[in-house]
Amino acid sequence: MSSPDPQVRAARNPSTPAPARGPVVAVTGAASGVGALLAERLASSEEIKQVIAIDERRGDCSQAQWHLLDVRDPAIAEKLRGADVVVHLALDLDLETDGAARTAYNVRGTQTVLTAAAAAGVHRVVLCTSAMVYGALPENELPLSEDAELRATAEATGVGDLLEVERLARRAPRAHPGLNVTVVRPATLVGGTDTALTRYFESPRLLVVAGSRPAWQFCHVEDLCSALEYAVLEKVDGELAVGCDGWLEQEEVEELSGIRRMELPSAVALGAAARLHRIGLTPSPAGDLAYTMYPWVVSVSRLHDAGWRPQWTNEEVLAELLEEVSGRRTVAGRRLGRKDATAAGAAGATVALLGAAAVVRRARKARRRI
């Protein structure tokens, strides 16, 4: 007697479990930026069972289950129940945000998400910081090992917040046994982003500090999302960097971009940047300059060992960035309106801003003498 068809057997035995799909993944900051791209990517993946999208407003991912709330709200724990993995991308690194408010949001949000994830029984949290946490220093190796000491200081935009997020990541498994935390550190991120480093390429001249040794490594948001997916699927864990293979020297960047350099002595460049930021003319503190002066290129060996490869090269990402910023004019981190750029002129705007800092300095000296 022949054996019954497998489908017939399944019908006779309804308790036979269906093949298991992958994890349920919650994504914070899912309405915009990297969070929106990742939510769409995971929702369309056959390896993901469900996406829970969390933000203060609803995004465009129709396949996700949406919860609208601030990530600092302890009620987020209830929204995370049933999730296997949380990818926390609700960070504010906007250049125009008040620094104290930004830190309060970033640090408290990360603390709340980690605590809520543990309370909800989530077994893995993926955090995204930046390779900037390694610090940009003249003696840095090319490339830095992913295990290299984090030697950044809090002097650049948002880096202090990212260092605190890193500290919370290291502490979380001790505070919440059973919770696995993976940290992903992208190189200079490009693809709909607005940072001090992307604004560098909106300048009419590329500021080069005399005696410095810049090296440029980029990370396209699509490659970041694919790396985050690797972390979600537990193909890689721990602390890992993500970016294009290799790097570009400053001379290569100038040749590829067609933008000429403006070279200034270190004391002049750093002093002017500090004064301009202090008097509110520019959003970028002097610490941002270090990341255009010294190398902070990172190895991506852990992802490589797991089988991941970037789909973009540094040259391709730079070309994409130049296309994105085409038509914008930024000087010393301050984006100029069309009227400003036309009236001042490219080089003239630079001189005007540097001159403004000098005038303020002279005025303060004069007041002290009175």
Side-chain angles (χ1 to χ4, degrees), residues 93-97 99 102 132 153-160 195-197 207 269-279 281-293 332-334:
L93 299 175
D94 193 308
L95 289 170
E96 311 299 338
T97 302
R102 182 181 61 225
M132 293 175 78
T153 63
E155 296 172 356
T157 304
V159 173
T195 68
L197 294 169
L207 174 62
L270 292 170
R275 288 190 294 275
L276 291 169
H277 182 65
R278 189 165 56 246
I279 63 179
L281 284 179
T282 63
S284 299
D288 284 342
L289 265 183
Y291 291 89
T292 68
M293 293 170 61
R334 175 179 174 242

Side-chain angles (χ1 to χ4, degrees), residues 47-195:
E47 296 183 86
I48 302 299
K49 183 177 182 180
Q50 183 186 15
V51 174
I52 301 171
I54 297 173
D55 210 317
E56 294 178 60
R57 64 178 180 85
R58 188 182 180 89
D60 296 330
C61 185
S62 59
Q63 298 167 278
Q65 176 186 343
W66 282 90
H67 295 295
L68 307 185
L69 78 165
D70 189 314
V71 290
R72 295 169 292 182
D73 187 340
I76 195 172
E78 282 301 315
K79 312 304 181 186
L80 296 180
R81 293 204 182 278
D84 301 297
V85 184
V86 175
V87 185
H88 178 48
L89 297 172
L91 291 176
D92 181 3
L93 299 175
D94 193 308
L95 289 170
E96 311 299 338
T97 302
D98 173 74
R102 182 181 61 225
T103 296
Y105 179 82
N106 291 337
V107 176
R108 180 62 183 275
T110 303
Q111 287 175 325
T112 304
V113 167
L114 287 168
T115 302
V122 174
H123 76 268
R124 176 180 292 255
V125 174
V126 180
L127 301 176
C128 185
T129 62
S130 167
M132 293 175 78
V133 296
Y134 290 106
L137 301 163
E139 66 272 20
N140 277 350
E141 295 181 355
L142 281 169
L144 288 163
S145 162
E146 288 164 301
D147 292 324
E149 181 183 356
L150 306 187
R151 297 198 292 163
T153 63
E155 296 172 356
T157 304
V159 173
D161 296 358
L162 297 180
L163 288 169
E164 183 61 20
V165 169
E166 293 269 354
R167 188 185 70 81
L168 293 170
R170 289 193 298 272
R171 193 177 66 182
R174 298 194 298 270
H176 308 291
L179 183 65
N180 179 295
V181 179
T182 298
V183 180
V184 180
R185 300 167 180 157
T188 302
L189 195 60
V190 173
T193 58
D194 177 26
T195 68

Side-chain angles (χ1 to χ4, degrees), residues 240-321:
L240 52 129
V242 56
C244 300
D245 292 330
W247 62 90
L248 299 173
E249 303 287 352
Q250 182 69 23
E251 292 75 15
E252 294 177 283
V253 166
E254 292 169 19
E255 182 179 352
L256 289 167
S257 68
I259 308 174
R260 291 183 293 171
R261 69 168 61 193
M262 180 179 70
E263 193 163 311
L264 291 176
S266 175
V268 173
L270 292 170
R275 288 190 294 275
L276 291 169
H277 182 65
R278 189 165 56 246
I279 63 179
L281 284 179
T282 63
S284 299
D288 284 342
L289 265 183
Y291 291 89
T292 68
M293 293 170 61
Y294 304 119
W296 49 291
V297 172
V298 287
S299 164
V300 294
S301 59
R302 287 190 179 132
L303 279 165
H304 270 241
D305 290 346
W308 177 91
R309 294 292 184 273
Q311 298 302 303
W312 293 73
T313 66
N314 282 303
E315 292 84 354
E316 290 169 340
V317 180
L318 177 57
E320 172 99 350
L321 173 57

